[in-house]
């Protein structure tokens, strides 16, 4: 609705006129407003759903177990069992690891996810076995031909002996042909 100035029979007067484009834009903005409101509600619902999936350990364990059961042909969990799956999810993967796996699962197929979770599981088992088993003692190395001054056990020399030793070295240098 707008005010328009028209000349009617020689008199200028202001009358209320209706512009059709304004009516059309008003209806479009109302539809857009409801559309944005619907998107806001869907986004909040999706955020809460993802948050509960990521933060609940039982849901994460079920998610990882689904892909680990494919590792064995009979559909059972690997030999390490369900108890290790919980520690694998809680301590090794953590919330961010499970979140990343869920995003990958959304964008790939089950075969790729099974191979990925299986390889991460094997790395976890190797890590766990390495952390539990003590490292073997280091092997004795072969003795080095390089001797340190402490190993030579040299005694301090007095200045007279130093002068004699320097003279002997000089004599040896004369015979040395380079």
């Amino acid at each position: 609705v707008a005010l328009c100035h028209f000349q009617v029979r020689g008199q200028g007067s202001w009358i209320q006129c209706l512009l059709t484009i304004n009516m059309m834009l008003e209806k479009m903005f109302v539809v857009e407003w409801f559309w944005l409101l619907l998107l806001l509600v869907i986004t909040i619902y999706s955020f809460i759903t993802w948050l509960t999936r990521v933060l609940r350990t039982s849901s994460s364990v079920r998610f990882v177990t689904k892909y680990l059961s494919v590792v064995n042909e009979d559909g059972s969990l690997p030999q390490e069992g369900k108890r290790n799956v919980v520690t694998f999810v809680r301590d090794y993967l953590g919330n961010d690891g499970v979140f990343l796996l869920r995003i990958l699962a959304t964008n790939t197929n089950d075969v790729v996810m099974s191979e990925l979770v299986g390889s991460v599981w094997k790395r976890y088992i190797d890590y766990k076995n390495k952390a539990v088993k003590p490292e073997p003692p280091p092997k004795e190395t072969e003795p080095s031909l390089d001797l340190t001054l402490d190993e030579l056990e040299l005694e301090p020399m007095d200045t007279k002996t130093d002068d004699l030793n320097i003279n002997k070295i000089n004599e040896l240098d004369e015979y040395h042909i380079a």
Side-chain angles (χ1 to χ4, degrees), residues 41-67:
V41 169
I42 291 172
T43 303
I44 290 172
Y45 173 76
S46 176
F47 176 73
I48 291 171
T49 304
W50 270 96
L51 196 63
T52 55
R53 282 183 188 168
V54 168
L55 294 180
R56 284 185 26 222
T57 306
S58 61
S59 173
S60 300
V61 168
R62 269 188 273 117
F63 172 76
V64 171
T65 304
K66 171 182 153 186
Y67 293 111

Side-chain angles (χ1 to χ4, degrees), residues 55-89:
L55 294 180
R56 284 185 26 222
T57 306
S58 61
S59 173
S60 300
V61 168
R62 269 188 273 117
F63 172 76
V64 171
T65 304
K66 171 182 153 186
Y67 293 111
L68 275 179
S69 63
V70 179
V71 173
N72 290 342
E73 289 79 22
D74 60 353
S76 64
L77 283 176
Q79 299 171 350
E80 289 76 15
K82 178 124 175 114
R83 185 175 188 186
N84 283 340
V85 174
V86 174
T87 58
F88 169 65
V89 169

Side-chain angles (χ1 to χ4, degrees), residues 2-178:
L3 291 176
C4 304
H5 183 70
F6 284 104
Q7 286 226 252
V8 181
R9 295 187 191 178
Q11 296 177 333
S13 63
W14 290 94
I15 60 169
Q16 192 174 12
C17 59
L18 192 63
L19 301 174
T20 55
I21 190 75
N22 283 353
M23 288 177 40
M24 190 170 73
L25 288 176
E26 180 184 358
K27 294 194 180 8
M28 286 175 41
F29 287 131
V30 168
V31 169
E32 183 182 10
W33 189 84
F34 281 113
W35 175 251
L36 289 175
L37 186 66
L38 176 70
L39 288 179
L40 178 69
V41 169
I42 291 172
T43 303
I44 290 172
Y45 173 76
S46 176
F47 176 73
I48 291 171
T49 304
W50 270 96
L51 196 63
T52 55
R53 282 183 188 168
V54 168
L55 294 180
R56 284 185 26 222
T57 306
S58 61
S59 173
S60 300
V61 168
R62 269 188 273 117
F63 172 76
V64 171
T65 304
K66 171 182 153 186
Y67 293 111
L68 275 179
S69 63
V70 179
V71 173
N72 290 342
E73 289 79 22
D74 60 353
S76 64
L77 283 176
Q79 299 171 350
E80 289 76 15
K82 178 124 175 114
R83 185 175 188 186
N84 283 340
V85 174
V86 174
T87 58
F88 169 65
V89 169
R90 188 184 61 230
D91 299 335
Y92 191 73
L93 287 178
N95 289 336
D96 53 348
V98 175
F99 178 71
L100 183 66
L101 288 176
R102 284 188 189 275
I103 291 174
L104 289 172
T106 303
N107 295 311
T108 60
N109 58 16
D110 288 343
V111 174
V112 173
M113 280 306 296
S114 297
E115 290 176 8
L116 178 67
V117 172
S119 66
V120 173
W121 172 260
K122 288 174 186 169
R123 287 187 82 172
Y124 166 71
I125 295 301
D126 292 342
Y127 168 76
K128 194 173 105 176
N129 290 339
K130 185 177 181 182
V132 170
K133 294 179 183 175
E135 292 186 19
K139 296 180 181 178
E140 291 186 25
T141 58
E142 295 181 19
S144 172
L145 297 178
D146 298 330
L147 299 175
T148 62
L149 291 177
D150 294 334
E151 292 172 342
L152 288 176
E153 298 178 5
L154 293 177
E155 296 178 11
M157 298 185 350
D158 58 347
T159 55
K160 293 178 186 175
T161 340
D162 284 344
D163 292 338
L164 290 174
N165 287 337
I166 291 173
N167 289 335
K168 288 181 184 177
I169 291 173
N170 288 338
E171 289 175 13
L172 288 175
D173 280 345
E174 291 174 8
Y175 295 112
H176 184 274
I177 303 173

